[in-house]
Amino acid sequence: MADDLSARLPAPKSAALPAPQPAALPPELAARLLARLAEGLPAEALLSDPQVTTSYATDMASFCAAGTPAVVALPRTVEQVQHVMRTATELRIPVVPQGARTGLSGGANAGDGCIVLSLVKMDRILEVSAVDRIAVVEPGVVNAVLSRAVAAQGLYYPPDPSSWEQCTIGGNIGTASGGLCCVKYGVTAEYVIGLDVVLADGRLMRTGRRTAKGVAGYDLTRLFVGSEGSLGIVVRAVLALRPAPPRQLALAAEFPSVAAACAAVCAVMEAGLAPSLLELMDRTTIRAVNALGKMGLPESTEALLLAAFDTPDAAAGLDAVAALCRAAGATAVVPAEDAAESELLLQARRMSLTALEALRPATMIDDVCVPRSRLAEMLDGTAAIARTYDLLIGVCAHAGDGNTHPVVCFDPADEDEVRRARESFDAIMALGLELGGTITGEHGVGVLKKEWLARELGPVGLEMQRGVKHAFDPLGLLNPGKLF
């Protein structure tokens, strides 16, 4: 099946590179820019030494060109962000918003002569309300810091991207991040109910609410979630919280094929079960994790499925999943005996990307989401692509929601291998669309997938999206060259 599907793929093309970035600023304009910014920002909030600003040029994506910013601004207040945007509008200088730069699509990459607006210093948790079940935070708050703060009050903020110890809430909002818990709790968009946003011209706009309900006007809050900093600068967010669930219990199931593992995933969902986590690792990923972390995972298996429940009757949920896994052909099912052992199992999944990155000098991480019913075809097709291009490609997946992360491993010093890596990336994108999926479930478009966004949206959809962009940013100053 995999080889047949590979033969039907559209002819691969090289991954799209970003549009040319603005040239470096003339010295007179650069001096004027610094002087104007200094009128509203303290000296320590402005960085202009090229040796320093260069370190803010990129996020963690491969194959995404970047330039050198004219200046990096690190505001601490909403008023300072407004001053940056007013200055940018006055002088017609592009602005690239940034968080922790853990993104994987080039969405935070700088252009020559731009202002990098880093929001990491705006890192206060302003409010946590157990009654209203909300948190009000600034964009630079780290995901894990927020999660621990609300847990201390018996509350839970579910979105948990793999980089949760580094990534910021503002960045999570910009890319509509997901995580391991999405199968039960959904992605970041489900939890952002209100925003304060500085627009391109420096005006401050408030969207959404802090109430349990609210349908007043268009849902502009949702519009900003996933907009990758192209419509405005999020300076405050109202986030919905949930009561803290019991600690989850997990199991690991070994399968002789990814098809069998995906059949188990479909059976779990069809049965109406609600696991808090349902993750899959292929054989390449299992071996990489073992090599890096000495986890003792079974290298002979073709696919490892991890399931967890965070309900009071978690053991009953795991028993039901175990039975379905055995019926789908699992060769072994190993339940954890307690929460600590469960965490060890989940740690193997969390280190998947890091482990795959250790296999070759460079990686290109895909993020393709397909209907759950097509998951096996996606994984088998990716394996066929790896064979076609003679590359090492490991796949870890949020199997419960069909979100796969094929990781193309390659040597950037080998020109032919780089070419094959680019082409395999395109082949994986094409496969995802052919199976009725989307080019990104949680990483965003950035510059890496601009061509593929246009293909997914179609000409009418692309025209309407550009119209929305123009309404909020008529001068095209906010994160130019990203998305489309």
Side-chain angles (χ1 to χ4, degrees):
M1 177 180 68
D3 290 318
D4 291 343
L5 184 58
S6 178
R8 290 188 282 112
L9 292 175
K13 297 169 60 181
S14 61
L17 290 175
Q21 297 290 347
L25 299 183
E28 323 82 66
L29 182 55
R32 186 180 173 196
L33 171 62
L34 279 172
R36 287 287 289 115
L37 289 174
E39 292 174 11
L41 292 169
E44 64 271 14
L46 288 174
L47 307 176
S48 58
D49 182 342
Q51 292 186 330
V52 177
T53 59
T54 299
S55 66
Y56 287 82
T58 65
D59 62 15
M60 297 178 68
S62 301
F63 292 138
C64 294
T68 301
V71 62
V72 175
L74 296 113
R76 290 184 179 273
T77 69
V78 173
E79 293 75 19
Q80 289 174 359
V81 175
Q82 290 181 278
H83 175 69
V84 171
M85 293 313 305
R86 290 187 186 115
T87 301
T89 296
E90 174 191 336
L91 300 180
R92 303 298 195 263
I93 306 295
V95 176
V96 176
Q98 287 185 353
R101 292 183 291 115
T102 57
L104 294 164
S105 66
N109 281 13
D112 285 333
C114 77
I115 301 169
V116 161
L117 181 56
S118 174
L119 300 159
V120 294
K121 299 295 186 183
M122 297 180 68
D123 60 357
R124 295 180 298 162
I125 299 174
L126 302 171
E127 178 187 354
V128 176
S129 171
V131 173
D132 294 328
R133 293 184 181 173
I134 61 169
V136 182
V137 305
E138 293 182 327
V141 172
V142 171
N143 185 295
V145 171
L146 173 64
S147 297
R148 293 178 183 125
V150 301
Q153 298 194 37
L155 298 167
Y156 179 42
Y157 180 66
D160 63 341
S162 296
S163 58
W164 77 303
E165 293 281 6
Q166 296 85 35
C167 64
T168 62
I169 296 298
N172 294 168
I173 292 171
T175 58
S177 298
L180 304 187
C181 71
C182 295
V183 62
K184 180 175 181 178
Y185 293 105
V187 296
T188 297
E190 314 298 328
Y191 298 91
V192 182
I193 61 175
L195 294 171
D196 285 5
V197 181
V198 174
L199 300 177
D201 59 7
R203 289 179 295 166
L204 180 65
M205 179 179 72
R206 180 160 292 171
T207 76
R209 54 191 165 80
R210 53 179 290 144
T211 55
K213 296 178 180 178
V215 292
Y218 293 128
D219 191 351
L220 296 183
T221 303
R222 279 287 187 124
L223 184 61
F224 279 96
V225 179
S227 65
E228 302 188 36
S230 65
L231 301 179
I233 311 297
V234 172
V235 291
R236 191 167 297 165
V238 182
L239 306 173
L241 304 175
R242 294 195 176 203
R247 292 190 67 183
Q248 56 187 0
L249 289 177
L251 66 73
E254 304 169 29
F255 289 89
S257 68
V258 293
C262 292
V265 171
C266 292
V268 168
M269 303 311 294
E270 188 175 13
L273 299 173
S276 56
L277 175 146
L278 197 56
E279 298 287 308
L280 184 148
M281 296 188 292
D282 72 354
R283 184 179 184 181
T284 299
T285 307
I286 292 168
R287 291 187 170 191
V289 168
N290 275 346
L292 180 67
K294 313 300 181 188
M295 300 294 291
L297 298 176
E299 294 193 359
S300 60
T301 190
E302 292 296 320
L304 186 72
L305 188 65
L306 300 175
F309 286 81
D310 61 358
T311 55
D313 59 345
L318 289 182
D319 287 344
V321 169
L324 293 171
C325 286
R326 293 188 182 100
T331 55
V333 179
V334 183
E337 294 187 359
D338 53 32
E341 192 171 321
S342 295
E343 185 56 34
L344 284 176
L345 286 176
L346 303 185
Q347 186 59 34
R349 169 61 183 89
R350 290 193 181 100
M351 70 167 61
S352 293
L353 295 181
T354 302
L356 288 167
E357 288 170 349
L359 296 180
R360 299 288 283 161
T363 58
M364 194 176 204
I365 302 174
D366 263 315
D367 165 38
V368 182
C369 193
V370 298
R372 297 184 191 99
S373 58
R374 311 299 297 273
L375 185 60
E377 294 171 85
M378 183 68 206
L379 270 66
D380 283 342
T382 300
I385 290 167
R387 292 192 294 272
T388 297
Y389 291 97
D390 191 21
L391 289 168
L392 189 65
I393 303 178
V395 181
C396 51
H398 307 308
D401 52 29
N403 198 170
T404 68
H405 295 309
V407 181
V408 181
C409 307
F410 65 98
D411 182 355
D414 184 330
E415 290 186 8
D416 184 66
E417 198 163 303
V418 169
R419 175 191 60 79
R420 286 183 279 123
R422 289 177 183 266
E423 293 182 358
S424 71
F425 176 89
D426 282 324
I428 292 168
M429 291 288 100
L431 173 62
L433 290 182
E434 180 182 325
L435 295 175
T438 176
I439 60 167
T440 176
E442 57 187 2
H443 289 175
V445 174
V447 295
L448 188 62
K449 298 183 177 182
K450 287 172 57 177
E451 176 188 348
W452 290 101
L453 178 65
R455 292 191 186 192
E456 180 171 335
L457 294 178
V460 176
L462 191 61
E463 178 186 351
M464 298 308 294
Q465 298 243 348
R466 286 173 170 159
V468 172
K469 164 71 170 173
H470 182 77
F472 281 92
D473 181 22
L475 298 177
L477 299 179
L478 283 168
N479 219 7
K482 313 297 169 54
L483 293 171
F484 35 71

